[in-house]
Amino acid sequence: MNIPLPDVPEVRVVGLPQLTQGFDLVERLDLQMHLKVHGPLEPVTGERLAQLAEEISLRGRGGAGFPFGQKLRAVAKSAIRRGVRPVVVVNGSEGEPACRKDTVLLNRAPHLILDGALLAAEALGARTLVVAVTRNSTEISMRAALAERGLSDRRGQRLRARIVRTPERMVSGEASSVIRAINGGPALPPGRRVRAADTGVGGAPTLLSNAETYAQLAIAARIGARRYGNTGTGSEPGTVMLTISGAVARPMVVEVPTGVPLRYVLQLAGAPPLPQGVLTGGYHGNWIDSVAVHEAVVSRESLAAVGGSLGAGAILPIGPETCPLGEALRVANWLAAETAGQCGPCRLGLPAAAGGLADVMNGGGPAALEALREVTQAVKGRGACKHPDGSARFFASTLSAFTDDLAAHVLHGGCGRETTGVLPLPMPGYEEAEESAPSGEKVVIDWTLCQGHGLCADIVPELIRLNPDGYPSVADAVVPAHLRGRAQRAVRRCPGLAMRIEQTSDPAPGTARPALPAARRKELGSGRG
């Protein structure tokens, strides 16, 4: 079973609505209805806007949680220092299959998002506004919203505004990917760390934040910090938007004040009374158990205290009837297929980690588990973007959260449960993920025959590189299925007949595998490939 979430699932609210105000009246708040529901909004100076963001402890709602006021000040400082106009970007790219809260806001409350973005643009003196979206529905809604305000990308306007479409991929929603796409390049991380506040769209200082963040800013600017703080906890005031899916009767997006018990939100969606695990923060997040669910409230601080994360606001419980490692493997294959292919940890490490998890499930024994832990550790902190780190977090959390199931698979060859596929994955993307999953084969070189021609490195550089002596250095990695054809071609074209491909992923149950060598850990952890 794999049922992708619709663009706009059911929307519920706990307490009084703020972001979702008016949703009970119409499906989409056009400009006229938006003003009737929320009222007009007065401009705010840059300093006052930054103070407001700090008074309400506004952090980015896209996953990273960076303080918005600090980001606003950094952009203003850079623009003044360089003497250039900054750019404001709304990141509405939501490429994770378990997230829909930004899509809901873009489709149903587009003008609330524009309110916050235009406030920031006016405060900074920006003359360019860009909205990045991933779906047809969000593009249509935001184009209509710009037209309703008389905004366009025509020359001569005081503020030029445009829509940029990005692919529906995990890596395409990262800030650097969005900026690269706006600049006319591929929607992929550039492979180097550059602060958007210094150099972003067109080389100008750029304020880029998540769609919900701008909507929250617009609410706070209307009602003031004191009234905004009357909702939620003292340290994290206001509401948050959550996407609840997985093993629930009613997948939904819900607006909820911080401080509400997490178990109440899960009950609202019809989750199992005692879930065996809840994935918090989405597919770059952390698993928590039913005990932690009972203790946690909806807030960054509370979820972090029980080992979870708020992240991008996705909450996914799984019931007792499914194999949690099987569910994790489905996500692991998808994460491996989402790689930008720009560094060793992403291109080689994530498929190897997915293959390692499959080895554990298929009876690889303690050695397979140890190898998986080593691969996961090697990936952390070495990538050209945040995707390897987020994926490594998911792998590590899976291994620590389901110790009983892990022991059953490692020691007894399985837990006795099927994988029901309750975690949502996109149908086309999931098929691609399975095709890009590890093939169960690896490349081996017979050094007594290798003559150092280097042809193999030209054919499949993702797996083979030349060392300083001109001889191939082969990643001791399971070959991803999408590279299998080129790996076979490299074997056939080797002039010295020194290469072969060996099957590695179908051991007899309980067969031990050798632990990962140090050279392999170094290879997977190498920076840019």
Side-chain angles (χ1 to χ4, degrees), residues 57-107:
S57 303
L58 181 60
R59 291 177 172 269
R61 301 299 177 92
F66 194 82
F68 183 85
Q70 186 176 335
K71 187 184 296 186
L72 187 69
R73 293 182 189 278
V75 173
K77 183 178 179 181
S78 181
I80 292 170
R81 184 181 71 250
R82 295 177 53 191
V84 297
R85 295 275 188 182
V87 176
V88 173
V89 175
V90 176
N91 187 0
S93 301
E94 202 166 38
E96 186 170 343
C99 294
R100 288 295 184 275
K101 51 104 172 175
D102 287 325
T103 300
V104 163
L105 290 174
L106 290 162
N107 274 283

Side-chain angles (χ1 to χ4, degrees), residues 193 342-346 376-385 388-389 521-529:
R193 310 265 176 143
Q342 298 184 138
C343 66
C346 208
T376 302
Q377 185 62 35
V379 166
K380 290 170 61 177
R382 306 285 183 85
C385 71
D389 280 355
R521 294 197 298 270
K522 183 178 180 182
E523 180 71 28
L524 291 179
S526 64
R528 291 163 182 81

